[in-house]
Amino acid sequence: MVHYNATHLDSSFSALSDATRRGVILQLAQADASITDLAQQFRMTLTGMKKHIGVLEQAGFVATEKVGRVRKCRLGARRLEQEAAWIAQYRQLWERRFDALDDVVEQLKQREKANDRET
């Protein structure tokens, strides 16, 4: 069983819980951008975007670098492997339950067909 860092998962899912932050990650997956560019794209204040970038930086999803007077953003070194592994264990649980439900439904269908033939 994989052991997860609860603090790490908390900061990751907290960062991903906001639509703007997910949008920033998607945008940065296509190209690096300045905080000003991101603020304009998402139609928010520079201060608001700086707060979102700070949350993403703390979670490791975004890295920033000051180039002259501009703060450039790019995707951070962290990928979503740990989060994906955490979700995958629950996916397996639900898949087993759905498989068991499929078996019950199939048994009921066969029983119903058998009852129809008898009548």
Side-chain angles (χ1 to χ4, degrees):
M1 175 161 209
V2 178
H3 294 282
Y4 302 100
N5 180 327
T7 303
H8 182 78
L9 284 177
D10 287 349
S11 69
S12 296
F13 286 116
S14 177
L16 295 173
S17 69
D18 184 89
T20 299
R21 292 193 286 265
R22 291 190 304 272
V24 167
I25 290 172
L26 192 61
Q27 177 64 36
L28 293 176
Q30 297 169 7
D32 296 351
S34 70
I35 291 178
T36 303
D37 292 341
L38 291 169
Q40 288 172 348
Q41 182 174 352
F42 288 90
R43 296 183 182 160
M44 65 176 24
T45 64
L46 195 56
T47 303
M49 183 52 72
K50 283 179 181 176
K51 288 181 182 176
H52 284 300
I53 295 298
V55 171
L56 290 168
E57 265 188 313
Q58 281 191 321
F61 294 130
V62 170
T64 63
E65 176 185 10
K66 191 162 184 168
V67 180
R69 295 174 45 181
V70 177
R71 185 157 293 276
K72 295 291 254 181
C73 302
R74 59 179 164 73
L75 283 182
R78 269 206 57 235
R79 304 292 182 236
L80 296 170
E81 287 99 5
Q82 192 176 37
E83 293 79 5
W86 185 84
I87 291 169
Q89 69 182 354
Y90 289 98
R91 170 180 272 163
Q92 292 171 357
L93 171 75
W94 282 105
E95 285 176 350
R96 284 193 303 268
R97 288 181 178 180
F98 284 129
D99 288 346
L101 182 60
D102 285 344
D103 291 344
V104 169
V105 169
E106 188 60 36
Q107 288 172 4
L108 290 173
K109 283 181 180 177
Q110 289 178 0
R111 193 177 303 163
E112 194 173 285
K113 281 183 184 177
N115 287 342
D116 286 345
R117 280 187 228 135
E118 291 177 8
T119 56

